[in-house]
Amino acid sequence: MTTAGSSPQKRNWQWFQNLLDVSAILAWSALLLKFWLSGQINLLLHPGYVWLAYSAAFFLLALGALKVIHIVGRSLIRARRGSARTRTETPAPPHYSLFPPGWGSAVLLAVAIFGLQFTPQPFASQMALDRGVTDTLTLTRAKPQSFRASSRPEDRTLTEWVRTLNVYPEPDAYTGQKAQVDGFVMHLKDYPDNYLTIARFVITCCAADVYPIGLPVKIKESRSTYPADKWFRVEGRMITETVAGKRQLVIEASKLTEIPKPAVPYEY
Amino acid sequence: MNLLSNLLGTSLGNQINNALTLFFSLMVEAMPFLLLGVLFSSALLLFVDERKLIAATPRNPLLAAFVGSLIGFVFPVCECGNVPVARRLIVQGAPASMSIGFLLAAPTVNPIVFWATWTAFRDQPEIVFMRVGFSLLIATIVGWVFSSQPDLRPLLQPAIARSMPVPRSTSRRSRKKDDEEPTADLLKSGTFILGQAGKPLQLDGDPLQAVTLVANPVLSKPIPVRLQLMMENIIQELRELGGILVIGSAIASIVQVAVPRELVLSLGQDNITSILAMMLLACVVSICSTVDSFFALSFASTFTSGSLLAFLIFGPMIDLKNIALLLSVFRGRAIFYLFALAGQLTFLIALLINLYVS
């Protein structure tokens, strides 16, 4: 909001503010593009919303470029006319803000620079425990909104199993069915040593709302053979057992194969 | 990050990493919606003339409050954009009920916020509809209550009150007769502005200031200048709201990771404390209404639905940032009334939802 004949100090401040604004905008564009192009965005967002993030990146890029063109153009005009007389500018509509100008851009720039060298990590079993799966592991929040039961039980993913259970919770209905699910290992404290939990995180919007789901797995050996947070494919058969005082559906494992951590660790 | 984990011990390092992942996920999800909100509110501030809206407002105070609450649908501004617009509405002589209705509802009852809330709460669509519906209800009720004070001037900051047109009995039927000025229009001194209806508006305040308050000053500029101003406005709002979004997201991620789960659960599962806690949080965090649903989402698994709703309804109406803005228009007393009325109604509705619906 410079006006004609503003003091050099004021103009310097304006110049600094412009620089800060442009850097913050371009840095955020770069950050969003980095998350998108490196695939790290899969850890942050539901895939349905990735397009929003990269559209925002392109919009910010365009906004930053426009601002740069505007600043350069204005200073060229100023240089041509001599620095004493500048074109009178229309002030933007009055804007009321809580923080001093420059504050917001500085914070945004700092966050973007930090983000550019930060690698998001997929959540691990500790997070699942913190999010309270211990008591009601199978029904924390999964609602059968996109429910589609596979015809063959061994084709069901972990999420599909949990959703099926939510619709018809009687474990005996599934006894004897084959199961083959992928997930990471969790060790629940109140389970005996030959039980582990195979779990996945489900995402609806972004990492802030991921919630864990899982099923108990009965193994022959001690669960210390299968360390927490390692990814396994569990093959076996469904049985009904009372574990930790609760009658529930359990996978009796016949085979556990270690698998690499998937690029998209969430299910939907 | 590995270095960080080694330095701080794996557990704490993991916690920090989780908090940072949450933080960036909130930021990345919210940024497009923030941009969209800022883009629309900038465009509309620079291309829409509120005087036409006022002319089309019904005279019945209840209907006016309802219409005012719905203006957000054509004027999607978030809570930073709505105060200047409400200010211009008031100064141009819009009925109190309409201005207050607009002030409270516009940040929530608009398509962008609806989409953002839908994105966040796809799993619980009832939250989205209840948010919009109850915001509309509360804004209409509070607007209606304020219509019992036909002359808003005692509630406004002196500078604004002086710039307001003197209420006339002919201008709005809802105005009481005793407000009528006995002097003939032609005999009055002061600054007059020719309104669209061909009727002069009288202003009591500083004429220069009054001119910028009454009309949207930008509307008289040529299109290229307006576009340039629009860009400036986008950047200005983006940096301000982006800064607050950073703080809000940081608070949400720290609470999720650092506060013991037992405490969060004991607070969040109770019908009453959960609502109070979320309303307090809404006040303090001051997060912009286009992105606050993502903030609320991170509490969805631990807090009651009623309390999430209270956060989503109350936050856009009143929060710390907003109070600073409101003080540029209203006196403290009026803000207190707004705060108390909106707060009580929100609490009541959220409690009913907790007790009877969810």
Side-chain angles (χ1 to χ4, degrees):
Chain A
M1 274 192 241
T2 46
T3 47
S6 55
S7 67
Q9 201 184 357
K10 212 170 176 183
R11 214 173 299 141
N12 276 345
W13 165 247
Q14 182 67 31
W15 186 83
F16 178 67
Q17 170 77 59
N18 281 338
L19 183 73
L20 212 55
D21 286 348
V22 170
S23 323
I25 289 169
L26 293 178
W28 263 96
S29 170
L31 179 63
L32 292 174
L33 286 175
K34 173 221 156 189
F35 280 147
W36 175 45
L37 294 174
S38 67
Q40 290 168 359
I41 205 151
N42 289 324
L43 298 177
L44 302 175
L45 296 187
H46 186 283
Y49 300 120
V50 171
W51 68 273
L52 276 173
Y54 63 72
S55 310
F58 291 124
F59 178 83
L60 286 171
L61 194 62
L63 184 66
L66 269 178
K67 180 77 182 166
V68 170
I69 292 170
H70 179 68
I71 296 171
V72 172
R74 211 171 45 181
S75 52
L76 281 180
I77 291 172
R78 197 177 290 155
R80 203 175 300 156
R81 290 186 182 177
S83 59
R85 283 193 59 77
T86 51
R87 197 160 55 108
T88 311
E89 282 168 30
T90 321
H95 189 85
Y96 304 92
S97 58
L98 188 55
F99 299 105
W103 175 90
S105 291
V107 169
L108 282 173
L109 180 62
V111 168
I113 290 173
F114 180 78
L116 280 172
Q117 53 85 48
F118 169 72
T119 312
Q121 298 292 321
F123 297 132
S125 61
Q126 187 55 43
M127 186 71 171
L129 290 172
D130 287 345
R131 293 209 162 189
V133 280
T134 43
D135 41 357
T136 51
L137 191 64
T138 51
L139 44 92
T140 23
R141 249 180 50 192
K143 289 190 183 173
Q145 35 137 2
S146 58
F147 181 66
R148 170 183 57 84
S150 298
S151 48
R152 290 177 357 131
E154 59 267 41
D155 288 344
R156 283 183 199 145
T157 64
L158 198 53
T159 320
E160 282 168 346
W161 270 110
V162 171
R163 286 182 181 151
T164 313
L165 265 177
N166 270 353
V167 176
Y168 191 76
E170 172 50 52
D172 277 348
Y174 312 98
T175 302
Q177 294 190 350
K178 278 191 195 168
Q180 182 191 313
V181 292
D182 296 349
F184 62 89
V185 169
M186 284 175 67
H187 293 165
L188 299 193
K189 269 195 211 113
D190 44 357
Y191 280 14
D193 191 48
N194 62 330
Y195 287 87
L196 55 82
T197 300
I198 193 86
R200 287 299 283 261
F201 280 106
V202 175
I203 188 171
T204 19
C205 165
C206 54
D209 72 316
V210 295
Y211 55 97
I213 52 157
L215 284 175
V217 179
K218 187 179 184 182
I219 46 177
K220 296 183 184 77
E221 53 279 75
S222 157
R223 63 184 177 187
S224 51
T225 327
Y226 307 102
D229 293 329
K230 287 272 183 225
W231 284 74
F232 284 94
R233 169 163 300 158
V234 179
E235 290 165 69
R237 215 167 47 83
M238 287 301 184
I239 52 170
T240 307
E241 280 206 346
T242 304
V243 191
K246 188 180 161 207
R247 185 170 162 271
Q248 53 184 316
L249 193 65
V250 173
I251 308 176
E252 190 178 38
S254 52
K255 190 176 160 200
L256 273 87
T257 331
E258 188 165 352
I259 52 169
K261 185 190 288 181
V264 182
Y266 308 121
E267 283 189 345
Y268 312 107
Chain B
M1 276 307 115
N2 284 335
L3 183 70
L4 198 67
S5 307
N6 290 339
L7 279 176
L8 298 168
T10 326
S11 173
L12 185 60
N14 265 339
Q15 296 263 49
I16 293 177
N17 218 317
N18 286 345
L20 285 171
T21 303
L22 279 177
F23 171 78
F24 278 107
S25 116
L26 283 173
M27 289 295 298
V28 168
E29 180 75 67
M31 192 54 86
F33 289 96
L34 186 66
L35 282 174
L36 204 61
V38 164
L39 185 68
F40 266 83
S41 86
S42 303
L44 289 163
L45 273 178
L46 299 179
F47 291 97
V48 171
D49 188 349
E50 311 85 21
R51 276 176 295 187
K52 289 179 186 146
L53 286 176
I54 298 177
T57 310
R59 293 174 174 215
N60 177 297
L62 188 59
L63 274 181
F66 185 66
V67 169
S69 310
L70 281 175
I71 292 177
F73 258 98
V74 287
F75 223 123
V77 287
C78 70
E79 64 239 57
C80 313
N82 77 333
V83 176
V85 176
R87 199 172 123 121
R88 282 207 295 272
L89 286 177
I90 289 171
V91 170
Q92 284 170 46
S97 49
M98 176 201 184
S99 321
I100 301 288
F102 171 79
L103 191 67
L104 294 182
T108 318
V109 185
N110 76 53
I112 296 171
V113 172
F114 187 87
W115 185 25
T117 317
W118 182 265
T119 306
F121 286 95
R122 247 179 342 139
D123 259 6
Q124 298 154 276
E126 65 277 10
I127 295 254
V128 187
F129 292 103
M130 286 197 285
R131 174 181 200 189
V132 173
F134 289 134
S135 295
L136 202 57
L137 182 71
I138 293 175
T140 309
I141 293 175
V142 179
W144 192 36
V145 169
F146 268 74
S147 71
S148 65
Q149 170 85 21
D151 184 4
L152 271 180
R153 286 183 296 174
L155 296 176
L156 300 174
Q157 290 292 348
I160 308 283
R162 276 202 303 276
S163 311
M164 273 184 78
V166 177
R168 291 150 200 282
S169 61
T170 47
S171 61
R172 290 275 174 262
R173 212 170 36 186
S174 63
R175 298 229 157 92
K176 287 186 185 136
K177 291 278 181 210
D178 54 356
D179 279 329
E180 227 175 325
E181 300 261 325
T183 331
D185 281 355
L186 279 173
L187 296 178
K188 280 196 243 167
S189 65
T191 311
F192 291 83
I193 290 180
L194 285 172
Q196 288 191 322
K199 195 161 211 177
L201 279 170
Q202 188 200 7
L203 303 163
D204 289 346
D206 168 24
L208 256 181
Q209 187 195 17
V211 170
T212 56
L213 280 170
V214 165
N216 187 342
V218 178
L219 289 178
S220 55
K221 305 287 172 204
I223 296 285
V225 177
R226 282 197 225 176
L227 284 175
Q228 182 224 317
L229 288 175
M230 182 174 147
M231 183 184 77
E232 297 292 337
N233 202 60
I234 288 175
I235 294 175
Q236 200 170 33
E237 289 197 356
L238 186 63
R239 64 170 179 245
E240 169 93 357
L241 301 180
I244 294 172
L245 177 63
V246 167
I247 296 181
S249 306
I251 293 177
S253 0
I254 291 170
V255 168
Q256 276 215 22
V257 173
V259 177
R261 190 175 167 78
E262 292 73 29
L263 181 70
V264 176
L265 274 181
S266 68
L267 204 64
Q269 291 299 306
D270 184 89
N271 279 336
I272 293 175
T273 57
S274 64
I275 299 175
L276 292 176
M278 282 314 261
M279 283 173 72
L280 181 70
L281 208 57
C283 247
V284 175
V285 174
S286 300
I287 197 163
C288 179
S289 64
T290 35
V291 291
D292 61 357
S293 43
F294 302 110
F295 180 94
L297 185 63
S298 57
F299 293 90
S301 56
T302 42
F303 273 70
T304 57
S305 303
S307 68
L308 296 178
L309 206 56
F311 176 90
L312 294 172
I313 294 172
F314 192 57
M317 294 185 178
I318 311 275
D319 56 36
L320 281 187
K321 172 193 64 172
N322 213 357
I323 287 177
L325 294 177
L326 285 171
L327 272 171
S328 70
V329 184
F330 293 103
R331 288 174 197 255
R333 189 157 55 106
I335 297 176
F336 176 77
Y337 292 153
L338 279 176
F339 188 86
L341 276 172
Q344 285 170 3
L345 285 170
T346 309
F347 181 79
L348 196 70
I349 287 174
L351 192 62
L352 288 177
I353 295 296
N354 268 353
L355 292 178
Y356 297 109
V357 180
S358 59

